[in-house]
Amino acid sequence: MQTYSVQDVERVLRLSRSTIRGLIKTGFVQPARGPKRQLQFSFQDLIVLRAARALLEAKISRRRINRSLEDLRRHLPEQMPLSGLSISAIGDRVVVRDGKNHFQVDDGQYVLGLDVSVENGVIRVVEHKETPAPATPPAETADDWFDKALSLEDADAKAAQAAYERAVEIEPDFVAAWINLGRLHHARHDEKKAEIVYRRGIQECGPNPTLMFNLGVVLEDLGKLDDAIEAYQSAISEDPNMADAHFNLARLYEAQGKEQHAIRHLGQYRRLVSASESR
């Protein structure tokens, strides 16, 4: 397999030595070492280095860059094909074209255009920037709306609620969004709305212990103590180690004069807390 020196990388990719060192240090590539410990880059390393710099300049998050470069490397041939390569973005997908074949590389949200060719036996990498045709912006995902809601919680609770609602509209079984949406309504003392949210979340997501525990807390505040007990029991049936659910059950059973039930759940609560503290 043909390898390339640091000087080759500087010449072909027009990257400074400090930039190359920085990209290696970041972990985007891991070049081999020659007999004299000199760095030796593969063809794949060259392309990944060039793509990494383009993505960093586009201010893409490091997590997305890492994931995209891993996918890109999987789709690159080990050697430069005679037909050349074209690496570009279509929508939010990176596409690698090798002659008549093309492969999609997941993730993106950036514009990347690299043409790789051989001229007189020398690899040539050219970045091209095309003017994109007017298009509808890519649809935001449930994760995008969830992240937006998290960032809005302290500044604008109503906007955060709307963002969580959009998240569960896109992805109805998004447990964390249902939990946070119900919590915001409860924090605003809208217990009835919180109850509706938690019950809808359980309906969409199935028996989730956190949703059922939170529902129990809301039902207590609404004075529906029997329903609260049922919710806490459902929570611990899914997660027997949920200490807070055992504690709340002990408290409610004690208030109802059901001492044996109260003692049993209080004992379980203490065992769980003790085990947690001893870890």
Side-chain angles (χ1 to χ4, degrees), residues 3-278:
T3 60
Y4 303 86
S5 66
V6 173
Q7 292 79 8
D8 292 330
V9 177
E10 290 178 299
R11 175 173 48 81
V12 173
L13 302 185
R14 297 181 182 179
L15 298 178
S16 68
R17 194 159 298 198
S18 62
T19 299
I20 296 170
R21 284 198 301 268
L23 293 171
I24 294 172
K25 185 177 180 181
T26 308
F28 291 133
V29 294
Q30 296 179 338
R33 291 281 183 177
K36 297 181 180 180
R37 302 293 296 164
Q38 73 274 24
L39 294 174
Q40 294 183 329
F41 297 85
S42 67
F43 166 70
Q44 288 188 344
D45 289 335
L46 263 65
I47 305 307
V48 170
L49 277 171
R50 191 62 186 81
R53 194 191 76 165
L55 303 182
L56 286 169
E57 289 175 349
K59 302 188 185 303
I60 307 303
S61 74
R62 192 63 55 89
R63 178 175 61 86
R64 282 187 169 184
I65 292 176
N66 282 329
R67 190 164 64 221
S68 295
L69 293 182
E70 287 174 5
D71 289 336
L72 176 60
R73 187 182 288 277
R74 281 198 294 270
H75 288 90
L76 286 173
E78 290 188 3
Q79 298 288 351
M80 175 65 195
L82 295 177
S83 58
L85 283 176
S86 176
I87 305 168
S88 58
I90 297 179
D92 63 350
R93 303 287 181 180
V94 176
V95 175
V96 180
R97 287 189 178 87
D98 168 9
K100 295 182 179 180
N101 299 316
H102 67 277
F103 309 93
Q104 282 198 153
V105 178
D106 285 340
D107 210 56
Q109 306 296 348
Y110 47 76
V111 175
L112 171 65
L114 299 175
D115 283 330
V116 188
S117 59
V118 177
E119 294 183 5
N120 298 321
V122 178
I123 291 180
R124 183 167 178 260
V125 180
V126 177
E127 182 176 3
H128 61 87
K129 297 183 181 293
E130 300 176 356
T131 303
T136 303
E140 291 185 278
T141 65
D143 283 328
D144 292 330
W145 284 105
F146 182 83
D147 291 341
K148 184 180 293 186
L150 284 177
S151 67
L152 287 169
E153 279 199 13
D154 292 335
D156 190 339
K158 285 188 176 181
Q161 288 173 11
Y164 283 131
E165 287 169 355
R166 185 72 182 107
V168 297
E169 180 182 339
I170 296 171
E171 193 173 314
D173 60 349
F174 199 146
V175 174
W178 286 111
I179 291 170
N180 288 4
L181 179 58
R183 174 177 51 77
L184 285 181
H185 283 299
H186 198 180
R188 294 180 62 206
H189 304 291
D190 191 348
E191 286 83 5
K192 290 183 178 180
K193 181 64 175 178
E195 179 187 359
I196 292 171
V197 167
Y198 288 136
R199 290 193 185 279
R200 176 72 188 283
I202 294 166
Q203 178 183 341
E204 297 289 352
C205 306
N208 177 270
T210 302
L211 281 171
M212 290 185 289
F213 175 84
N214 287 4
L215 174 61
V217 175
V218 168
L219 291 170
E220 274 200 71
D221 288 348
L222 287 170
K224 302 177 180 180
L225 302 187
D226 289 337
D227 290 343
I229 288 174
E230 182 180 349
Y232 291 137
Q233 289 284 13
S234 297
I236 62 174
S237 70
E238 293 299 319
D239 182 5
N241 296 324
M242 184 175 275
D244 288 341
H246 285 288
F247 180 83
N248 287 3
L249 279 170
R251 180 170 45 75
L252 289 177
Y253 279 132
E254 184 179 20
Q256 291 183 343
K258 299 179 179 179
E259 296 296 331
Q260 291 289 43
H261 288 77
I263 291 170
R264 178 165 58 85
H265 285 288
L266 186 59
Q268 184 64 11
Y269 165 76
R270 287 172 175 166
R271 282 191 292 274
L272 290 169
V273 171
S274 178
S276 176
E277 290 175 348
S278 63

